[in-house]
Amino acid sequence: DTAFSAFLSDENATIELGHRLAHALQPGMVVFLEGDLGAGKTTLTRGILRGFNFTGRVKSPTYTLVEPYTLLGLEANSKLYFYHFDLYRFNDPSEWEDAGFRDYFNSESICLIEWADKASGQLPSPDWIIQLQPESTGRRILLSATSELGQTCQNALTL
Ligand code: ADP
Ligand code: MG
């Protein structure tokens, strides 16, 4: 698979790219967001949510592990469930089942996960892996598709 790459010169560029990603994402997708603390993972998530016309506050779910959003889908009156995970503090696999997180992964929802490696045994395989890394005073984003659906959506992104 050919990766998508772009330079993001400032925070606003990260938000704008998030808008583009929102238009390429489809219900049922699982996205891993990789990069060190401060790389811009939560900023990109905020951009994606803005792309779905969510205007409220986007907080980092560091202590709650997940922040749920109910968004409007593309079809009339349809709803889209969006879950933003931050698993940095996740360390108890039994908590995954107890909290019912498994059910969050379904065909009507989009799941974005920061620090997926902390729960690798619990998670389904991703459709996209997005990496963010520092480059000069900005960031570099690398997106690779890791499923057929992911590839189709990545093609929509690069059109
Ligand atoms: P993470 O979730 O990866 O820990 P955050 O998104 O919380 O990172 O924070 C990233 C920081 O980097 C924020 O202060 C944000 O303003 C900044 N930032 C985001 N994108 C860029 C960019 N393209 N260039 C420079 N700074 C950025
Ligand atoms: Mg974060």
Side-chain angles (χ1 to χ4, degrees), residues 42 45 58-69 83-89 112 114:
T42 297
T45 303
V58 175
K59 36 191 175 177
S60 195
T62 312
Y63 294 94
T64 53
L65 299 177
V66 65
E67 188 67 33
Y69 299 88
Y83 299 102
H84 175 209
F85 288 89
D86 180 342
L87 303 179
Y88 190 70
R89 286 171 194 279
L112 250 72
E114 300 184 36

Side-chain angles (χ1 to χ4, degrees), residues 17-89:
L17 191 81
H19 281 233
R20 282 179 66 191
L21 296 182
H23 288 97
L25 280 165
Q26 282 185 26
M29 280 180 76
V30 175
V31 179
F32 289 1
L33 283 177
E34 300 180 352
D36 289 340
L37 284 174
K41 303 181 294 297
T42 297
T43 306
L44 185 68
T45 303
R46 179 153 45 89
I48 292 170
L49 283 161
R50 296 284 178 257
F52 281 110
N53 294 316
F54 177 79
T55 54
R57 204 162 101 80
V58 175
K59 36 191 175 177
S60 195
T62 312
Y63 294 94
T64 53
L65 299 177
V66 65
E67 188 67 33
Y69 299 88
T70 304
L71 309 171
L72 292 175
L74 291 176
E75 281 154 60
N77 301 318
S78 73
K79 280 188 177 147
L80 177 65
Y81 301 92
F82 186 105
Y83 299 102
H84 175 209
F85 288 89
D86 180 342
L87 303 179
Y88 190 70
R89 286 171 194 279

